[in-house]
Amino acid sequence: MKSQSLVMNRLAPLTILLLLGGGAGWALMNFVGQRGSGKEVIAEVSMPTTRGGDAAVARVRGAKDRWTAIHAAIELARSIPAGERRTCLQDGRFRHPDPLVAQMFTLQLEELLFQDDPFALIEWEMATGRDAARKHLARIAREDVEALIARGQGSADVQKGRAMLFTAMKVLVEREPERVLKMALEFPPPADGDELPKSMVHLLAKASGRDASKLLDLSETKGDRWRALLRAAAARAMAEKDVASALKWITAEPDGGRLFTEVFLFHGVYSEEMMSVAELDANKRWVAEHLDELPDGFIREINRGRRLGSWPSMSDFAGAEKFWLAADLGRLGISTREQENFRVDLMMMMANNDPAAVAKHLDDPAMFSVTQRKQAIQRISQMQIGWHGKLPDEIMAVLEEDEMKVVEAMVANNKKDQTTVKKPLGIPEQFTTLMNEPGSESLHLRAENWTPEQEDQALAYVRNADPKLLADLTNRILRTGYPFKPVAAEIYRRALENNIVSPRLREEVIETSIHWADADPIRAAAWVETLPAGVERLRSIQNVAAQWTRDDPAGAQAWIATLEDKAEAEAAREAVRIFDAKAKTRWEQ
């Protein structure tokens, strides 16, 4: 079959950059030259020279700018005979120091192979484990879903066939739900002991028209494993309509604990769709308020599903503190010590808005041991005195005499600290102190209090740091996981420049572009333009463009227009287009 795909001969190079959505995205960096190896790779190739290959290689080598190099790389890909294209992809014969040039070469080869025989390409990609198989499956599903279904049903390889059919069903489910439900029921159920595939749970819920009763009726006609899958899909269908009603039904069922872990994350709230803060808080309150009523079997299943005690967490408490304070956390398998720590955290969260409730719980002997009560008072007092200079009167009223003396001393010390004139440490001294501390948390704690002048001094300090000091700073800031300050961003930038790289660093650079663009897109945009060439820079530019366009589309387009590199500007526009398309899809749903 010849796909009616886009003809690449006239397609501007960057328009294929994100052609196939989020499947493989920017993961196709199989042909990037190695930086920092002591040898700069310049369009390193070893491939047939027919159909103008020699001239194309020469144009790539002689390109003076990225745009010219991209066009030359695409011409080179087109010069490769059809029978050699797959080998070139597999062997990685093309290398270039600019990852975008290498990627465009790869995408052009893939497009040519897709035009020749899309299914041959996909089956080869699936057999060799190439990430691109996912995006090409999605593309065929959009362009000719019936051909994909026919191929999947006729495939000699059962696993490949199911992958094709499942991709087709995801495209069809909104317009032909009954057909998709019938197709899904022809799949084998998960094996005993295997987790239920959440992707199938989601698909079944949609295919039923979010009709839980239909799925429950079907579950009674199936074996145990299909029954479990259909019941999970029914619970999901309920949750998509009304979370509170779904929770009530789930907790009343004998297998409710398992259903809960299938439909809800370990944070106790339904997480697949975006929910308002009020809805999230309502769900948390419901779980906390009814914890004592939940059946033992439900609790056992939740305990079995807990991942290293990750549920509940502090995010579950926000907006539902009173209910969690009253809940019997011991039923969740949480130790007495852990419960006391949770309660202290809860009361610290409540002290600003409801000090009377905090005082009531502090005065309850069943809430804390004597030692834990004193520790709780100390932690709450430190936070309140630091913020307000005193402890709320309601809490002061329930303190014992010795506890009151401790708090009064803390208040006096706080006043003394505020009135005592201290010579502040200069930025170099602060960094020297940091290097002598075993932990790295203090860097961002200090940065919180820097004036704009001090921040500029810190940036200058990082820019002038020698490689050894820079490596130390990089390791510390990565351990802290604090990417939101300009100093941390500058450390990341210099680390990239000096080839102090790791998978975690690359992730943090990209994360920084997202979070910073959300808070301050102008500064984030200025920062990404200082990053060295590479996939991190390109993805960061795209992230800034997408984040910026959410709140200020005109501002985002104005910035993109200032990008001197045409390839980067086009990639940014493509990111905005994809963001807009996804936003439109979410709105329509």
Side-chain angles (χ1 to χ4, degrees):
M1 162 190 151
K2 288 281 185 181
S3 170
Q4 298 300 313
S5 56
L6 296 173
V7 178
M8 299 299 292
N9 291 327
R10 295 186 179 180
L11 192 60
L14 263 292
T15 60
I16 67 170
L17 197 57
L18 291 175
L19 180 65
L20 302 169
W26 296 97
L28 305 174
M29 302 311 298
N30 302 325
F31 313 102
V32 180
Q34 298 297 313
R35 289 189 300 172
S37 61
K39 179 182 178 182
E40 191 76 4
V41 182
I42 304 295
E44 183 180 300
V45 295
S46 173
M47 55 182 63
T49 58
T50 56
R51 291 175 53 196
D54 278 341
V57 170
R59 281 192 290 274
V60 175
R61 289 179 179 275
K64 301 301 184 183
D65 59 78
R66 171 182 274 181
W67 194 245
T68 304
I70 286 173
H71 278 284
I74 290 174
E75 289 178 16
L76 177 60
R78 290 171 178 164
S79 74
I80 299 170
E84 297 288 338
R85 289 168 184 161
R86 188 184 296 179
T87 302
C88 290
L89 272 183
Q90 189 170 12
D91 294 346
R93 296 185 185 182
F94 179 86
R95 298 179 184 274
H96 195 280
D98 186 332
L100 185 57
V101 175
Q103 189 171 21
M104 293 307 300
F105 174 86
T106 302
L107 289 172
Q108 178 66 74
L109 270 186
E110 288 177 349
E111 178 63 23
L112 292 168
L113 286 165
F114 190 93
Q115 290 180 9
D116 288 342
D117 189 337
F119 287 113
L121 171 64
I122 289 170
E123 289 175 354
W124 170 71
E125 288 174 331
M126 294 170 74
T128 55
R130 288 177 59 83
D131 289 336
R134 195 177 299 113
K135 69 176 183 179
H136 289 137
L137 272 174
R139 181 176 172 184
I140 287 188
R142 292 192 303 269
E143 295 179 1
D144 194 343
V145 69
E146 297 301 333
L148 183 58
I149 291 172
R151 188 74 172 213
Q153 291 173 336
S155 176
D157 187 310
V158 175
Q159 293 302 323
K160 290 178 183 176
R162 288 175 186 161
M164 293 178 187
L165 289 173
F166 194 83
T167 303
M169 288 191 292
K170 287 194 293 184
V171 170
L172 279 176
V173 69
E174 295 295 346
R175 63 176 186 261
E176 296 187 54
E178 289 290 344
R179 180 185 180 190
V180 169
L181 183 59
K182 181 180 178 181
M183 291 172 65
L185 293 174
E186 294 172 355
F187 274 56
D192 289 340
D194 287 352
E195 290 186 6
L196 299 182
K198 283 187 170 53
S199 56
M200 182 61 87
V201 171
H202 299 178
L203 186 70
L204 286 167
K206 286 185 177 180
S208 71
R210 296 173 178 82
D211 184 345
S213 60
K214 178 188 290 188
L215 294 167
L216 290 173
D217 289 344
L218 279 171
S219 73
E220 297 301 322
T221 67
K222 298 289 184 178
D224 287 346
R225 292 304 285 166
W226 254 118
R227 185 173 185 272
L229 191 59
L230 287 164
R231 284 177 62 79
R236 168 136 189 143
M238 290 184 200
E240 290 183 359
K241 288 185 174 180
D242 181 10
V243 174
S245 297
L247 280 168
K248 289 179 182 179
W249 178 80
I250 287 170
T251 53
E253 293 297 301
D255 57 346
R258 183 187 53 74
L259 291 172
F260 181 89
T261 57
E262 292 297 336
V263 179
F264 293 79
L265 282 186
F266 294 94
H267 296 304
V269 294
Y270 179 57
S271 61
E272 182 66 17
E273 305 291 340
M274 293 297 292
M275 303 179 72
S276 70
V277 173
E279 289 173 315
L280 290 172
D281 287 347
N283 297 339
K284 295 170 188 176
R285 284 195 298 272
W286 191 96
V287 175
E289 189 175 7
H290 294 82
L291 191 57
D292 292 342
E293 306 167 17
L294 301 181
D296 289 339
F298 178 83
I299 295 297
R300 281 195 298 272
E301 288 292 336
I302 289 180
N303 286 339
R304 194 174 296 129
R306 288 173 73 225
R307 294 180 179 174
L308 302 177
S310 64
W311 187 86
S313 73
M314 288 304 297
S315 63
D316 297 301
F317 296 150
E321 296 91 347
K322 290 182 181 179
F323 298 100
W324 283 110
L325 273 172
D328 180 8
L329 295 177
R331 295 198 68 210
L332 293 177
I334 299 174
S335 70
T336 302
R337 181 62 180 272
E338 284 180 305
Q339 291 180 54
E340 291 178 335
N341 289 335
F342 273 136
R343 287 172 183 142
V344 173
D345 291 335
L346 287 166
M347 287 192 287
M348 290 176 68
M349 295 167 69
M350 293 171 60
N352 276 335
N353 299 322
D354 198 348
V358 173
K360 177 184 176 182
H361 288 297
L362 282 174
D363 213 26
D364 182 356
M367 189 66 66
F368 296 107
S369 65
V370 174
T371 302
Q372 278 291 314
R373 171 188 157 97
K374 292 186 182 298
Q375 291 177 357
I377 291 171
Q378 183 178 27
R379 288 179 60 190
I380 294 169
S381 299
Q382 286 174 338
M383 184 180 70
Q384 288 296 309
I385 292 169
W387 285 352
H388 308 297
K390 66 174 187 175
L391 198 61
D393 294 339
E394 296 91 336
I395 299 177
M396 290 291 290
V398 300
L399 299 185
E400 302 288 344
E401 184 178 352
D402 60 330
E403 294 167 343
M404 192 173 295
K405 288 181 179 179
V406 171
V407 172
E408 288 172 347
M410 293 171 67
V411 171
N413 288 333
N414 182 64
K415 288 181 179 177
K416 182 180 178 181
D417 287 343
Q418 290 185 350
T419 56
T420 301
V421 178
K422 296 180 180 179
K423 181 182 178 181
L425 289 176
I427 294 301
E429 290 81 6
Q430 289 190 36
F431 275 98
T432 300
T433 302
L434 169 70
M435 294 300 113
N436 292 327
E437 293 172 349
S440 60
E441 292 284 334
S442 61
L443 178 59
H444 76 258
L445 293 176
R446 293 175 187 277
E448 291 285 358
N449 298 311
W450 281 340
T451 64
E453 292 77 14
Q454 286 178 310
E455 187 174 277
D456 289 342
Q457 293 171 19
L459 288 169
Y461 181 89
V462 170
R463 288 169 186 147
N464 294 320
D466 61 43
K468 183 175 182 300
L469 175 58
L470 181 62
D472 194 348
L473 288 170
T474 302
N475 289 333
R476 286 173 181 272
I477 201 66
L478 287 175
R479 287 200 304 272
T480 304
Y482 192 75
F484 312 110
K485 283 290 179 183
V487 173
E490 183 62 17
I491 291 172
Y492 296 154
R493 184 191 70 80
R494 285 219 58 212
L496 285 177
E497 280 187 342
N498 287 270
N499 205 31
I500 306 173
V501 294
S502 66
R504 174 70 187 282
L505 175 72
R506 297 182 190 280
E507 291 172 6
E508 288 294 335
V509 169
I510 293 166
E511 284 293 314
T512 298
S513 67
I514 296 172
H515 293 296
W516 205 358
D518 186 46
D520 189 346
I522 294 176
R523 292 194 71 180
W527 172 68
V528 298
E529 291 187 61
T530 67
L531 295 176
V535 67
E536 294 81 17
R537 174 186 169 99
L538 201 58
R539 288 191 63 182
S540 295
I541 286 173
Q542 289 190 297
N543 288 334
V544 170
Q547 289 292 106
W548 200 339
T549 199
R550 184 186 63 185
D551 298 319
D552 182 11
Q557 291 297 337
W559 171 63
I560 292 171
T562 68
L563 295 174
E564 295 181 358
D565 189 303
K566 294 180 180 179
E568 291 176 348
E570 188 62 31
R573 292 189 189 96
E574 186 69 8
V576 169
R577 185 193 64 75
I578 290 174
F579 175 88
D580 289 341
K582 289 182 176 179
K584 181 175 182 293
T585 300
R586 284 196 297 269
W587 177 258
E588 290 173 346
Q589 290 176 344

